[in-house]
């Protein structure tokens, strides 16, 4: 026997499901924005602590606008990541901004993986650059950068270490933004073309040429 499906009841069931999903989406949206605000606040706190910290001075001899917690936070970040410590609050702020720009920046595991790749790559490059600045080894890449460089040098050598770290930086950028360089180039080109067109003066309207001797209207004789 054939089953007769009540279209009206099916439509009502679909409407009920949509109404049930809307509150969940709204709750997820405001919760995501709360997390974004907290991430932005933490990013500002961390950036202030790192900017106020002097790696050449002992932490006990320093003061910070964000208090003793900021001093020890700055010491911890500089010890772990060196001068790449500035990237940590910047990436955290980017993650917070993504809560409000979800169609542009996609959150999730790829974005977090991209942040980690960028941090490792920058600390490694800074650690490599610090080797040639003075005879004393200055870990500008922190403990993480030193460990990354030593591990790569043992496996792929000096030139290979540079290649791996330089290749990891654009890969991390692609994971964070999840957009191709070709699409980014097209967007930048379109913006530049729009700015150039705005700066150019508009051509003056062309006036129609009048005949030298206009014909007199019929019946108008002097």
């Amino acid at each position: 026997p054939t089953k007769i499906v009540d279209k009206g009841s099916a439509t009502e069931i679909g409407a009920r499901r949509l109404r049930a999903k809307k509150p969940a989406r709204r709750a997820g949206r405001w919760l995501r924005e709360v997390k974004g605000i907290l991430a932005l606040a933490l990013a500002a706190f961390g950036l202030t602590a790192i900017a106020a910290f002097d790696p050449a001075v002992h932490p006990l001899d320093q003061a910070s606008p964000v208090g003793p917690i900021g001093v020890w936070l700055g010491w911890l970040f500089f010890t772990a990541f060196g001068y790449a410590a500035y990237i940590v609050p910047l990436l955290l702020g980017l993650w917070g901004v993504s809560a409000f720009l979800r169609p542009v920046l996609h959150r999730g595991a790829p974005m977090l993986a991209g942040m980690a790749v960028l941090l490792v790559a920058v600390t490694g490059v800074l650690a490599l650059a610090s080797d040639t600045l003075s005879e004393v080894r200055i870990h500008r890449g922190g403990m993480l950068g030193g460990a990354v460089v030593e591990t790569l040098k043992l496996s792929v050598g000096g030139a290979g270490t540079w290649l791996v770290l330089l290749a990891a930086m654009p890969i991390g950028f692609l994971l964070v933004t999840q957009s191709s360089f070709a699409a980014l180039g097209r967007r930048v080109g379109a913006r530049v073309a729009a700015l150039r067109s705005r700066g150019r003066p508009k051509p003056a309207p062309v006036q129609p040429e009048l005949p030298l001797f206009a014909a007199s209207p019929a019946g108008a004789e002097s």
Side-chain angles (χ1 to χ4, degrees):
T2 57
K3 296 182 179 179
I4 299 175
V5 180
D6 187 0
K7 295 183 178 180
S9 61
T11 306
E12 291 179 0
I13 293 174
R16 291 175 184 174
R17 290 179 179 177
L18 290 176
R19 286 195 296 267
K21 288 181 180 180
K22 285 183 179 180
R25 291 179 181 177
R26 292 176 181 175
R29 183 178 300 174
W30 70 260
L31 184 60
R32 186 175 65 249
E33 292 181 356
V34 168
K35 294 179 181 179
I37 294 172
L38 291 176
L40 290 174
L42 291 175
F45 185 90
L47 187 62
T48 304
I50 294 170
F53 184 80
D54 188 359
V57 182
H58 195 275
L60 295 177
D61 299 330
Q62 297 190 47
S64 176
V66 287
I69 295 179
V71 173
W72 289 107
L73 186 64
W75 173 82
L76 177 64
F77 274 72
F78 267 100
T79 303
F81 310 116
Y83 286 91
Y86 289 96
I87 297 180
V88 177
L90 292 178
L91 291 177
L92 184 60
L94 180 63
W95 187 82
V97 170
S98 66
F100 303 93
L101 301 177
R102 191 172 183 180
V104 179
L105 298 175
H106 301 275
R107 298 155 64 94
M111 186 177 185
L112 296 177
M115 290 180 178
V117 171
L118 281 176
L119 185 61
V120 169
V122 173
T123 54
V125 169
L126 289 175
L128 281 174
S130 65
D131 291 341
T132 58
L133 293 179
S134 63
E135 296 180 359
V136 180
R137 183 178 177 84
I138 302 174
H139 288 284
R140 294 195 172 186
M143 298 178 64
L144 177 62
V148 169
V149 168
E150 292 299 328
T151 303
L152 289 176
K153 281 186 175 181
L154 291 175
S155 57
V156 295
T161 300
W162 276 107
L163 291 175
V164 171
L165 293 176
L166 293 178
M169 296 178 76
I171 291 175
F173 176 80
L174 291 175
L175 288 173
V176 170
T177 59
Q178 299 184 28
S179 61
S180 65
F181 286 111
L184 183 61
R186 288 194 295 267
R187 292 178 184 176
V188 173
R191 293 285 179 86
V192 172
L195 291 176
R196 287 181 178 179
S197 62
R198 290 179 183 178
R200 294 175 183 174
K202 295 182 179 180
V206 180
Q207 298 292 339
E209 296 182 359
L210 298 176
L212 296 177
F213 300 97
S216 58
E221 296 180 356
S222 55

